[in-house]
mmCIF file of all heavy atoms in Angstrom:
data_model
loop_
_atom_site.group_PDB
_atom_site.id
_atom_site.type_symbol
_atom_site.label_atom_id
_atom_site.label_comp_id
_atom_site.label_asym_id
_atom_site.label_seq_id
_atom_site.Cartn_x
_atom_site.Cartn_y
_atom_site.Cartn_z
ATOM 1 N N ARG A 56 -42.735 59.933 -87.410
ATOM 2 C CA ARG A 56 -41.797 59.254 -86.515
ATOM 3 C C ARG A 56 -42.058 59.558 -85.046
ATOM 4 O O ARG A 56 -41.180 59.389 -84.194
ATOM 5 C CB ARG A 56 -40.355 59.655 -86.859
ATOM 6 C CG ARG A 56 -39.909 59.206 -88.258
ATOM 7 C CD ARG A 56 -39.868 57.694 -88.345
ATOM 8 N NE ARG A 56 -39.315 57.209 -89.594
ATOM 9 C CZ ARG A 56 -40.024 56.880 -90.665
ATOM 10 N NH1 ARG A 56 -41.344 56.997 -90.631
ATOM 11 N NH2 ARG A 56 -39.446 56.446 -91.762
ATOM 12 N N ASP A 59 -41.154 57.028 -82.365
ATOM 13 C CA ASP A 59 -39.746 56.915 -81.980
ATOM 14 C C ASP A 59 -39.473 57.676 -80.690
ATOM 15 O O ASP A 59 -38.665 57.245 -79.859
ATOM 16 C CB ASP A 59 -38.837 57.450 -83.091
ATOM 17 C CG ASP A 59 -38.915 56.629 -84.372
ATOM 18 O OD1 ASP A 59 -39.749 55.714 -84.432
ATOM 19 O OD2 ASP A 59 -38.149 56.909 -85.308
ATOM 20 N N ARG A 79 -45.717 46.617 -91.696
ATOM 21 C CA ARG A 79 -44.554 45.723 -91.604
ATOM 22 C C ARG A 79 -43.226 46.470 -91.587
ATOM 23 O O ARG A 79 -42.375 46.205 -90.732
ATOM 24 C CB ARG A 79 -44.579 44.732 -92.771
ATOM 25 C CG ARG A 79 -43.449 43.716 -92.728
ATOM 26 C CD ARG A 79 -43.585 42.711 -93.836
ATOM 27 N NE ARG A 79 -42.512 41.739 -93.804
ATOM 28 C CZ ARG A 79 -42.377 40.758 -94.671
ATOM 29 N NH1 ARG A 79 -43.263 40.619 -95.659
ATOM 30 N NH2 ARG A 79 -41.371 39.915 -94.583
ATOM 31 N N ARG A 80 -43.029 47.394 -92.524
ATOM 32 C CA ARG A 80 -41.743 48.093 -92.591
ATOM 33 C C ARG A 80 -41.473 48.893 -91.324
ATOM 34 O O ARG A 80 -40.368 48.897 -90.803
ATOM 35 C CB ARG A 80 -41.719 49.008 -93.816
ATOM 36 C CG ARG A 80 -40.381 49.710 -94.030
ATOM 37 C CD ARG A 80 -40.372 50.495 -95.322
ATOM 38 N NE ARG A 80 -40.557 49.617 -96.469
ATOM 39 C CZ ARG A 80 -40.610 50.059 -97.733
ATOM 40 N NH1 ARG A 80 -40.529 51.362 -97.993
ATOM 41 N NH2 ARG A 80 -40.772 49.203 -98.723
ATOM 42 N N ARG A 81 -42.507 49.572 -90.833
ATOM 43 C CA ARG A 81 -42.333 50.355 -89.616
ATOM 44 C C ARG A 81 -42.135 49.447 -88.409
ATOM 45 O O ARG A 81 -41.414 49.789 -87.472
ATOM 46 C CB ARG A 81 -43.546 51.262 -89.399
ATOM 47 C CG ARG A 81 -43.554 52.498 -90.250
ATOM 48 C CD ARG A 81 -42.366 53.406 -89.967
ATOM 49 N NE ARG A 81 -42.469 54.014 -88.648
ATOM 50 C CZ ARG A 81 -41.427 54.258 -87.865
ATOM 51 N NH1 ARG A 81 -40.221 53.910 -88.229
ATOM 52 N NH2 ARG A 81 -41.593 54.839 -86.691
ATOM 53 N N ARG A 82 -42.784 48.287 -88.393
ATOM 54 C CA ARG A 82 -42.586 47.359 -87.278
ATOM 55 C C ARG A 82 -41.117 46.970 -87.166
ATOM 56 O O ARG A 82 -40.551 46.948 -86.065
ATOM 57 C CB ARG A 82 -43.450 46.099 -87.466
ATOM 58 C CG ARG A 82 -44.929 46.336 -87.310
ATOM 59 C CD ARG A 82 -45.683 45.049 -86.958
ATOM 60 N NE ARG A 82 -45.495 43.997 -87.931
ATOM 61 C CZ ARG A 82 -46.250 43.842 -89.017
ATOM 62 N NH1 ARG A 82 -47.208 44.707 -89.281
ATOM 63 N NH2 ARG A 82 -46.049 42.838 -89.839
ATOM 64 N N LYS A 83 -40.500 46.696 -88.279
ATOM 65 C CA LYS A 83 -39.087 46.324 -88.263
ATOM 66 C C LYS A 83 -38.222 47.473 -87.741
ATOM 67 O O LYS A 83 -37.319 47.257 -86.921
ATOM 68 C CB LYS A 83 -38.630 45.921 -89.665
ATOM 69 C CG LYS A 83 -39.193 44.597 -90.154
ATOM 70 C CD LYS A 83 -38.626 44.269 -91.524
ATOM 71 C CE LYS A 83 -39.113 42.900 -91.999
ATOM 72 N NZ LYS A 83 -38.559 42.570 -93.337
ATOM 73 N N ALA A 84 -38.502 48.681 -88.202
ATOM 74 C CA ALA A 84 -37.719 49.835 -87.770
ATOM 75 C C ALA A 84 -37.897 50.100 -86.276
ATOM 76 O O ALA A 84 -36.932 50.420 -85.562
ATOM 77 C CB ALA A 84 -38.107 51.068 -88.579
ATOM 78 N N LEU A 85 -39.133 49.963 -85.790
ATOM 79 C CA LEU A 85 -39.394 50.197 -84.370
ATOM 80 C C LEU A 85 -38.703 49.150 -83.502
ATOM 81 O O LEU A 85 -38.143 49.479 -82.448
ATOM 82 C CB LEU A 85 -40.894 50.194 -84.105
ATOM 83 C CG LEU A 85 -41.654 51.456 -84.519
ATOM 84 C CD1 LEU A 85 -43.152 51.238 -84.380
ATOM 85 C CD2 LEU A 85 -41.210 52.645 -83.686
ATOM 86 N N ARG A 86 -38.767 47.914 -83.933
ATOM 87 C CA ARG A 86 -38.099 46.867 -83.160
ATOM 88 C C ARG A 86 -36.596 47.075 -83.142
ATOM 89 O O ARG A 86 -35.929 46.828 -82.131
ATOM 90 C CB ARG A 86 -38.471 45.500 -83.732
ATOM 91 C CG ARG A 86 -39.909 45.094 -83.400
ATOM 92 C CD ARG A 86 -40.389 43.940 -84.242
ATOM 93 N NE ARG A 86 -41.767 43.566 -83.906
ATOM 94 C CZ ARG A 86 -42.578 42.917 -84.713
ATOM 95 N NH1 ARG A 86 -42.172 42.557 -85.931
ATOM 96 N NH2 ARG A 86 -43.812 42.626 -84.328
ATOM 97 N N ARG A 87 -36.060 47.548 -84.235
ATOM 98 C CA ARG A 87 -34.626 47.839 -84.280
ATOM 99 C C ARG A 87 -34.283 48.983 -83.331
ATOM 100 O O ARG A 87 -33.290 48.913 -82.579
ATOM 101 C CB ARG A 87 -34.200 48.172 -85.714
ATOM 102 C CG ARG A 87 -32.709 48.412 -85.875
ATOM 103 C CD ARG A 87 -32.293 48.405 -87.342
ATOM 104 N NE ARG A 87 -33.055 49.362 -88.136
ATOM 105 C CZ ARG A 87 -33.970 49.041 -89.038
ATOM 106 N NH1 ARG A 87 -34.284 47.763 -89.258
ATOM 107 N NH2 ARG A 87 -34.602 49.971 -89.727
ATOM 108 N N LEU A 88 -35.091 50.041 -83.333
ATOM 109 C CA LEU A 88 -34.846 51.165 -82.424
ATOM 110 C C LEU A 88 -34.981 50.711 -80.976
ATOM 111 O O LEU A 88 -34.163 51.094 -80.124
ATOM 112 C CB LEU A 88 -35.839 52.289 -82.714
ATOM 113 C CG LEU A 88 -35.797 53.497 -81.765
ATOM 114 C CD1 LEU A 88 -34.441 54.179 -81.824
ATOM 115 C CD2 LEU A 88 -36.924 54.484 -82.107
ATOM 116 N N ALA A 89 -35.995 49.902 -80.677
ATOM 117 C CA ALA A 89 -36.182 49.411 -79.310
ATOM 118 C C ALA A 89 -34.990 48.576 -78.866
ATOM 119 O O ALA A 89 -34.542 48.669 -77.714
ATOM 120 C CB ALA A 89 -37.469 48.598 -79.222
#
Side-chain angles (χ1 to χ4, degrees):
R56 296 295 186 266
D59 295 6
R79 183 176 180 181
R80 184 175 298 179
R81 282 298 291 145
R82 290 202 303 272
K83 289 182 177 180
L85 283 172
R86 287 165 180 158
R87 183 166 55 251
L88 175 62

